[in-house]
Amino acid sequence: MIPIKPIFTAKAVEKNKPDLSQLPQNVATQYLAPGNLNLSQLPPLSLYIHFPWCVKKCPYCDFNSHEVRNGFDETAYLDALRADLEAALPLIWGRKIYTIFIGGGTPSLMSAAGLDRLLSDVRTLLPLDGAAEITMEANPGTFEAEKFRSYRQSGINRLSIGIQSFNSRHLAALGRIHNGDEARRAIEIAQANFDNFNLDLMFALPGQTMEEVQLDVETAISFAPPHLSLYHLTLEPNTYFAKFPPAIPDDDLSAEMQELIHTRMAAAGYGNYEVSAYAQPKRASRHNLNYWNFGDYLGIGAGAHSKISFPHRVIRQARYKQPKAYMDATASGNSVQESFEIQPDEMGFEFMLNALRLQDGFGVNLFQERTGMLLNSIETELLAAEKKGLLYRDHQTISATPLGKLFLNDLQQIFLKSA
């Protein structure tokens, strides 16, 4: 096992450590006071920006997305995003942003001028790392070559393209607005403008065969994307598919599909660094790695979530979900609908829910660095997981065993302390 190294070296952390003494007084009083945790350093910080609109709501989608029926007020939403970010600045005072992810919905519905304004506002208000990874999600049904050239010029340096399948029949069953030819054309436009991009694919689709899965994977590999995300279709609550479930492959066939994908991706030189993520060497998503390593992220936009650390506590926030409610709340000076502190008895589960998704595990020191708690605070749970054969650890690394990866939910649940 190769231990996961911290994203920062100790020297870099010290150099970029925020001056907490300069926090506004109201924030310092609330978050710097003695608490239950003791973080020796703050984690890396990412920015997530949510764009809530899409052309059509997909029947499997449980994300905060809303169909564009009569258009949307781009200027008003960009105004709200800026106001939201300005109001959140005291919580991240002096901290540098290392990655940005613009997700949705369908962010590629934004005009070129709107995206340029958004990134300009971010640069004005936040210190960005010189090598910041800036990703934007894009739907193949919204690709226009000129607009995507403009996106690149504005600062987007990585695309995440929601292909899902190259099979037009499956795309129709998934409610996608593009077909197989448009999927291929979108990738060609991405290749012409970006040297870093991800393709999202789904498998275990309604009526899908092994041969069709293999053809989707081979087609994706033929474009040599630096990164591929391959997701099992799940019937999430509160979706159309949950109410009217389609006939999807059974567990045995789904497992065969997953094994085929894993074998073929490895043969093509892609490392499976996280449950659903495959990347060429050194092309893993830095934004996603920050999530899995229990880093911090500020989320702005309708329904966006945040996790922000302070020396003695870690908080989570959620913005108002409905776009109008979010914009109204932001105009009133508070876009945050919910804010709470992660309690010590919840911290082990929160950390493991993320870090155990990493295929190579994580370094033993990372738990204390990111939670402010000693590793022995979850010793009982670690021993229980080891006893069941779900977890491996040595003096350097903690990781799920092959059995633990097959039963990841069961492994993670071990760390959920009962009230």
Side-chain angles (χ1 to χ4, degrees):
M1 295 282 183
I2 301 174
I4 298 294
K5 296 181 179 178
I7 295 176
F8 291 155
T9 63
K11 182 177 180 181
V13 168
E14 189 62 35
K15 179 181 178 182
N16 295 302
K17 186 182 291 183
D19 184 2
L20 298 174
S21 67
Q22 299 303 309
L23 277 171
Q25 187 59 43
N26 64 325
V27 176
T29 300
Q30 184 176 3
Y31 296 114
L32 299 188
N36 296 312
L37 309 178
N38 185 26
L39 274 73
S40 59
Q41 60 192 44
L42 300 184
L45 179 65
S46 295
L47 175 67
Y48 175 78
I49 303 171
H50 192 74
F51 182 89
W53 290 285
C54 56
V55 175
K56 180 183 177 183
K57 182 78 170 180
C58 296
Y60 59 85
C61 178
D62 69 337
F63 293 115
N64 184 37
S65 58
H66 307 266
E67 287 188 11
V68 174
R69 292 193 173 96
N70 299 308
F72 60 93
D73 191 335
E74 180 176 271
T75 298
Y77 193 70
L78 292 173
D79 288 344
L81 287 174
R82 177 167 180 133
D84 189 1
L85 183 54
E86 287 178 332
L89 290 180
L91 300 178
I92 55 169
W93 208 262
R95 296 178 66 180
K96 187 178 288 188
I97 299 294
Y98 289 85
T99 70
I100 298 172
F101 195 100
I102 306 171
T106 305
S108 50
L109 288 175
M110 249 189 295
S111 69
L115 186 279
D116 190 65
R117 180 209 156 164
L118 174 60
L119 290 183
S120 177
D121 285 347
V122 169
R123 292 191 190 95
T124 298
L125 295 170
L126 294 173
L128 299 188
D129 180 67
E133 176 191 271
I134 305 176
T135 303
M136 181 180 193
E137 286 187 334
N139 186 317
T142 64
F143 264 69
E144 300 169 15
E146 185 58 39
K147 186 164 73 168
F148 277 81
R149 278 194 288 272
S150 295
Y151 287 164
R152 182 69 185 90
Q153 292 168 0
S154 295
I156 299 295
N157 54 32
R158 183 176 182 271
L159 283 185
S160 183
I161 310 171
I163 299 295
Q164 314 313 354
S165 176
F166 294 95
N167 184 310
S168 294
R169 177 172 59 86
H170 291 147
L171 289 169
L174 292 172
R176 303 296 288 175
I177 64 171
H178 67 278
N179 59 34
D181 289 339
E182 289 169 324
R184 294 174 178 82
R185 175 61 179 152
I187 300 173
E188 291 169 357
I189 292 174
Q191 288 176 317
N193 294 282
F194 297 85
D195 60 3
N196 195 8
F197 60 95
N198 165 67
L199 303 182
D200 276 351
L201 287 181
M202 299 176 74
F203 66 96
L205 306 179
Q208 191 175 40
T209 66
M210 287 287 289
E211 291 74 20
E212 288 170 334
V213 171
Q214 183 167 9
L215 182 57
D216 266 353
V217 173
E218 294 295 344
T219 302
I221 290 173
S222 72
F223 288 101
H227 192 285
L228 271 165
S229 298
L230 292 127
Y231 301 105
H232 188 296
L233 173 64
T234 54
L235 308 184
E236 300 290 352
N238 303 314
T239 63
Y240 182 87
F241 272 0
K243 188 176 181 180
F244 303 101
I248 59 176
D250 61 25
D251 290 345
D252 289 340
L253 181 55
S254 295
E256 290 181 30
M257 291 176 174
Q258 193 152 16
E259 182 60 30
L260 180 152
I261 289 168
H262 188 74
T263 300
R264 184 64 187 93
M265 294 300 293
Y270 288 83
N272 180 206
Y273 69 94
E274 185 270 336
V275 172
S276 302
Y278 297 79
Q280 294 175 344
K282 299 182 180 180
R283 304 307 289 270
S285 165
R286 290 165 48 204
H287 187 86
N288 288 347
L289 278 174
N290 193 40
Y291 286 148
W292 310 137
N293 281 292
F294 209 51
D296 279 359
Y297 48 93
L298 171 66
I300 62 170
H305 289 250
S306 302
K307 172 198 167 262
I308 303 175
S309 300
F310 298 88
H312 304 296
R313 53 185 43 83
V314 179
I315 66 167
R316 287 198 180 278
Q317 294 181 333
R319 266 61 176 167
Y320 287 88
K321 291 183 68 173
Q322 289 290 334
K324 185 178 186 306
Y326 165 75
M327 289 188 281
D328 288 346
T330 303
S332 300
N334 186 17
S335 61
V336 178
Q337 184 176 26
E338 183 181 11
S339 182
F340 61 92
E341 183 176 336
I342 303 176
Q343 298 302 310
D345 62 354
E346 302 168 334
M347 195 66 74
F349 175 69
E350 291 261 358
F351 178 89
M352 291 298 187
L353 190 64
N354 291 280
L356 286 175
R357 293 180 63 94
L358 294 166
Q359 294 295 298
D360 289 333
F362 57 90
V364 294
N365 294 329
L366 190 68
F367 180 83
Q368 183 171 349
E369 288 176 11
R370 297 295 158 85
T371 68
M373 298 169 59
L374 296 175
L375 187 62
N376 64 17
S377 66
I378 56 168
E379 182 64 21
T380 300
E381 291 79 12
L382 289 170
L383 287 172
E386 284 183 295
K387 186 175 181 180
K388 292 182 177 182
L390 301 176
L391 186 121
Y392 165 84
R393 60 172 167 162
D394 56 26
H395 68 286
Q396 288 186 313
T397 306
I398 297 174
S399 66
T401 62
L403 183 64
K405 291 171 185 176
L406 287 175
F407 297 96
L408 184 59
N409 288 342
D410 297 293
L411 172 56
Q412 291 165 331
Q413 286 291 325
I414 291 173
F415 296 90
L416 183 59
K417 295 176 185 282
S418 58

